[in-house]
Amino acid sequence: KRINELNEAAASIELTLDLPKDFTYDIPVHGRAWLFAAGLTEQTYKQHGIGYSKSLDRVILPIYDNAGNLEWFKCRALQRGQKPKYLQPARDRSKVMFRVRGSREDFQRVVVVEDIVSAIRVGKHTTTYSILGTKISTAQAAELGKFKEVTTWLDSDRAGRQGAYKIRKTLSLITEVSN
């Protein structure tokens, strides 16, 4: 019954670029368990401002610009059967990417991933950008084209393989791209 209520609430919500009103950094056990299973420690998820919404029963993954302003966020479902898997603001995100500087900043090379959590994990080691999906926009391509070398590291599912191919095809016109 709770899943049906959460799914109905998710279907009727249209998110703006404001975090949910009940956003908190106090993440309950099942939310922390999902974050740990995804490879994020408490220190890491706190460092990136990840929080929780009780009314949505979702982990909130925010993206901030260099000045600390909220640019975008995703709300990740935690319950089996909770749909959709992600909620996000209803606005253009073509210029938005989630960036993590690696243990040493590399201005020559960058790794491109699909999602925020992957960017955090890979970003522990090298500069990483999440394009928030498998399709690259013109604005994202222009930003990534500033690097000497781009490595795509998308999921191995069909959408990820197709997305990596299209990213390589697009970026290879302006920079070196590898898988």
Side-chain angles (χ1 to χ4, degrees):
K1 182 178 176 175
R2 173 81 172 128
I3 295 298
N4 289 340
E5 291 171 1
L6 290 169
N7 289 347
E8 287 174 17
S12 67
I13 193 168
E14 185 169 322
L15 295 174
T16 61
L17 194 57
D18 296 311
L19 292 173
K21 292 187 186 329
D22 64 345
F23 175 87
T24 179
Y25 295 109
D26 185 22
I27 302 173
V29 172
H30 68 292
R32 292 192 312 266
W34 180 83
L35 290 163
F36 291 137
L40 303 185
T41 64
E42 182 176 9
Q43 177 184 356
T44 301
Y45 70 72
K46 284 184 176 181
Q47 174 187 349
H48 292 283
I50 294 172
Y52 177 75
S53 166
K54 183 177 181 176
S55 64
L56 298 173
D57 194 23
R58 292 171 183 264
V59 167
I60 311 300
L61 305 155
I63 299 175
Y64 297 97
D65 65 16
N66 291 334
N69 301 308
L70 183 66
E71 267 193 314
W72 188 261
F73 64 94
K74 286 196 166 210
C75 306
R76 173 55 160 89
L78 296 172
Q79 305 281 342
R80 173 176 271 138
Q82 195 176 357
K83 296 184 184 201
K85 186 175 180 179
Y86 288 98
L87 293 175
Q88 53 200 359
R91 83 179 265 249
D92 177 38
R93 69 170 190 238
S94 63
K95 296 179 182 175
V96 178
M97 290 190 286
F98 181 77
R99 175 182 165 185
V100 181
R101 294 180 178 101
S103 55
R104 62 184 183 95
E105 179 97 30
D106 190 341
F107 295 102
Q108 299 294 314
R109 294 178 197 88
V110 65
V111 175
V112 176
V113 298
E114 285 184 39
D115 61 89
I116 295 169
V117 172
S118 295
I120 293 171
R121 288 193 322 249
V122 176
K124 292 177 184 175
H125 309 285
T126 189
T127 302
T128 307
Y129 281 78
S130 166
I131 59 171
L132 307 172
T134 58
K135 295 179 179 152
I136 191 167
S137 70
T138 302
Q140 291 170 331
E143 179 67 23
L144 294 168
K146 295 176 184 176
F147 289 90
K148 184 178 178 182
E149 182 182 338
V150 176
T151 301
T152 59
W153 193 347
L154 277 60
D155 295 349
S156 62
D157 60 9
R158 182 182 171 129
R161 289 190 311 272
Q162 289 177 340
Y165 171 77
K166 289 178 182 176
I167 291 168
R168 287 191 307 274
K169 188 175 175 182
T170 300
L171 291 178
S172 65
L173 299 171
I174 54 178
T175 191
E176 185 178 328
V177 186
S178 63
N179 228 0

